[in-house]
Amino acid sequence: ALLGFVLMFLMAGLYKLEPNQSAVLSLFGKYVGTVKDNGLRWNNPFYAKRRVSQRVRNFESGKLKVNDLDGSPIEIAAVIVWQVIDASEAVYNVDDFESFVQIQSESALRTMATSYPYDQHEDGQIALRSHAAEISEHLQKELAERLNDAGVAVLDARISHLAYAPEIAQAMLQRQQANAIIAARTRIVAGARPCAMSPPIRLRAMLPPPMKATVSAAGAAVPSTADIESALWDLVWAGQVANDSFAAVRALLRPDRR
């Protein structure tokens, strides 16, 4: 009977570990060590054993409604890829490391979203919609700082959903369309300005010095850049200047042309 009791007691110290799994050992509340070797293991039967998976995990946060840098309400969600790299820290530094990862991920996502505008308004400005790589890098860095004490490493963090809130989505779409029209007309003017400036500049450059002085004295100087740009804008908004290169050809081939 005594031998059977001893065998039962020793058998209580047997346990197994699978690949990418660790066991955190403690003796009456005192941390003893972490076992990472997989297979059948044996330790003091009095040791309390807590298994922790160190496999790569991922989850998608819920759609969060936050305000971007401009104060516009947006919906945003992200996919987080993470892994436990220190089982003892994951067990003893936080109460529930899985819940801790999810809550801190949503908090970091909110903080990051309020740091950037939804759309790019200036050259060189980082925006949520147009700079996915920079946004992902910032989010991953923010998460790494928050989860470092929990023994968790963030392997990847990317935006999975991004949109304006439903209550302002239609208004924001109209603003994007207006910005696209303005950008197109600005490009037309930028392309037409060199063409309008080249003839008078080349003509004046070909004149000998005495004639240049005569032209300037007669008030026939080359118009300024501002004057040319203002005149082109007037023609663009009037619909008389466009980027249609074949308009003149079609006008010549019209059946009603006499």
Side-chain angles (χ1 to χ4, degrees):
L2 180 60
L3 180 60
F5 175 78
V6 172
L7 289 176
M8 291 289 293
F9 177 76
L10 295 177
M11 288 289 291
L14 290 174
Y15 62 96
K16 69 173 183 177
L17 290 179
E18 299 177 355
N20 291 321
Q21 192 177 42
S22 300
V24 179
L25 307 179
S26 62
L27 178 62
F28 303 121
K30 181 180 179 181
Y31 171 69
V32 176
T34 302
V35 179
K36 299 181 179 180
D37 298 329
N38 55 57
L40 185 63
R41 315 299 303 171
W42 184 88
N43 283 112
N44 188 332
F46 288 107
Y47 287 173
K49 296 173 282 293
R50 180 172 176 180
R51 295 178 178 85
V52 177
S53 174
Q54 292 188 290
R55 299 183 178 94
V56 176
R57 314 186 200 187
N58 70 91
F59 75 96
E60 184 175 12
S61 68
K63 294 181 182 178
L64 307 178
K65 182 178 288 188
V66 298
N67 292 335
D68 67 355
L69 184 63
D70 297 331
S72 302
I74 63 173
E75 291 182 348
I76 189 170
V79 173
I80 313 298
V81 182
W82 60 283
Q83 181 182 25
V84 174
I85 58 174
D86 192 319
S88 61
E89 290 185 354
V91 170
Y92 292 117
N93 286 2
V94 294
D95 186 36
D96 183 350
F97 67 90
E98 293 182 351
S99 176
F100 182 81
V101 169
Q102 293 190 7
I103 294 175
Q104 290 300 319
S105 296
E106 293 187 355
S107 176
L109 183 59
R110 288 181 182 274
T111 302
M112 185 276 301
T114 59
S115 303
Y116 299 99
Y118 183 91
D119 278 316
Q120 184 180 18
H121 305 304
E122 302 175 359
D123 292 337
Q125 185 182 36
I126 298 178
L128 295 172
R129 190 166 66 96
S130 57
H131 294 76
E134 290 83 353
I135 296 301
S136 296
E137 182 180 355
H138 183 179
L139 179 58
Q140 185 172 350
K141 182 179 179 181
E142 184 80 18
L143 283 169
E145 294 177 355
R146 292 170 179 261
L147 301 179
N148 183 54
D149 291 339
V152 173
V154 180
L155 305 182
D156 193 19
R158 296 186 181 275
I159 302 299
S160 60
H161 172 79
L162 180 64
Y164 280 114
E167 58 266 24
I168 66 164
Q170 187 63 32
M172 292 298 103
L173 178 60
Q174 294 176 355
R175 189 177 74 173
Q176 290 176 356
Q177 293 173 344
N179 291 337
I181 293 174
I182 294 174
R185 295 186 182 276
T186 302
R187 186 171 183 179
I188 292 172
V189 172
R193 184 171 60 183
C195 299
M197 293 178 60
S198 296
I201 291 176
R202 289 201 302 266
L203 179 60
R204 186 171 184 180
M206 293 171 61
L207 295 175
M211 294 187 65
K212 288 182 181 179
T214 302
V215 171
S216 299
V222 177
S224 66
T225 302
D227 294 336
I228 294 175
E229 188 168 348
S230 177
L232 283 173
W233 270 115
D234 293 339
L235 293 174
V236 168
W237 290 112
Q240 299 179 8
V241 174
N243 59 350
D244 188 356
S245 304
F246 290 92
V249 177
R250 283 196 296 271
L252 290 173
L253 298 179
R254 284 187 308 177
D256 58 343
R257 186 178 182 275
R258 298 176 181 176

